[in-house]
Amino acid sequence: MNKPFASIAKISLGLMLAAAVVSCNNNANKPAAKSSNDSTSATAAEGQIVYVNSDSLLANYEYFKDMQAKLQEKAKKTQSELQAKGNAFQREVADYQKNAATMSAEQRQSTEERLARKQEELGKFNQNANQSFANDEAQEQEKLYNKVADYLKSHAKEKGYKFVLTYSKGNPGVLFADESLEITKEVVSGLNAAYKKEKK
């Protein structure tokens, strides 16, 4: 049951923000006026493309922290239950091994069959618990994706951004990005403000 914890640690917005968010800016389709000043044109183009540091976003987004805590609590609870069932089973096996010599052949067979059934049930419980956790995690990731994507769509439209890219040290799809194009702080601030209202 350590798998859930490892799985939580791997949650990344790399997949969530990999798709560029395109704003509905009608003026963006119009050709820019030519100018002898190349830097002015470059600045205008840069203003249409920004990026979010997904590592920083996850570290500071309150909804993600709460989601992570909820998943970890579920994992701990299930792990504790599995541990208790496993310990009880081991005690039964130890008792059988201790008393097997004094049992009749029929008693040994009956006990072994019962222990075999319990072992199978324990394996199924473990499998079902992991599947249940995986389903919960997938649902939570989908909620997280929707919250971030929906916010970025409206935010990009409001600010006039054509593309919102993502950057992460663990999964650097963007090899270099000028820090002046980063909007992580404003995105995190907006997401946390929306989540605060939602919690109320």
Side-chain angles (χ1 to χ4, degrees):
M1 284 304 298
N2 288 328
K3 290 181 180 178
F5 293 103
S7 187
I8 291 170
K10 292 180 182 177
I11 296 176
S12 168
L13 281 183
L15 294 174
M16 300 174 192
L17 302 179
V21 178
V22 184
S23 72
C24 300
N25 185 349
N26 294 329
N27 295 328
N29 294 326
K30 296 179 182 178
K34 291 184 179 180
S35 170
S36 58
N37 189 341
D38 292 339
S39 62
T40 303
S41 299
T43 302
E46 287 174 355
Q48 303 290 330
I49 301 175
V50 293
Y51 74 94
V52 171
N53 184 315
S54 60
D55 297 329
S56 180
L57 190 150
L58 288 177
N60 295 287
Y61 186 18
E62 295 302 323
Y63 175 80
F64 174 75
K65 293 178 184 178
D66 289 348
M67 182 193 93
Q68 191 178 38
K70 184 166 71 173
L71 288 172
Q72 286 178 340
E73 183 61 31
K74 178 180 173 64
K76 286 179 181 178
K77 184 178 179 181
T78 306
Q79 186 177 22
S80 178
E81 189 174 353
L82 179 62
Q83 186 69 44
K85 287 179 179 289
N87 289 342
F89 176 72
Q90 288 175 359
R91 284 194 297 270
E92 286 193 56
V93 171
D95 287 342
Y96 167 67
Q97 291 172 340
K98 180 181 178 182
N99 300 317
T102 61
M103 289 177 159
S104 67
E106 186 177 344
Q107 287 176 322
R108 283 197 299 271
Q109 183 179 353
S110 175
T111 304
E112 287 171 2
E113 288 174 354
R114 179 174 56 80
L115 290 173
R117 285 194 300 271
K118 282 202 170 185
Q119 186 175 25
E120 186 178 351
E121 289 170 4
L122 196 60
K124 286 181 180 178
F125 176 82
N126 188 12
Q127 185 178 6
N128 291 338
N130 278 301
Q131 184 60 53
S132 175
F133 182 87
N135 291 340
D136 288 348
E137 184 185 38
Q139 289 174 5
E140 292 297 335
Q141 285 193 46
E142 185 177 2
K143 289 178 188 176
L144 176 64
Y145 171 84
N146 289 336
K147 283 182 178 293
V148 174
D150 289 347
Y151 177 80
L152 282 176
K153 284 176 185 176
S154 61
H155 188 68
K157 183 177 180 180
E158 179 186 341
K159 296 289 186 177
Y161 302 140
K162 288 194 70 177
F163 291 92
V164 179
L165 307 177
T166 181
Y167 173 79
S168 170
K169 286 185 178 180
N171 186 23
V174 177
L175 296 178
F176 170 78
D178 192 307
E179 290 184 1
S180 65
L181 303 178
E182 183 177 354
I183 61 166
T184 309
K185 286 184 179 179
E186 67 184 65
V187 169
V188 169
S189 178
L191 283 168
N192 282 337
Y195 181 51
K196 189 176 180 180
K197 287 182 181 178
E198 184 182 316
K199 286 181 76 174
K200 287 184 179 179

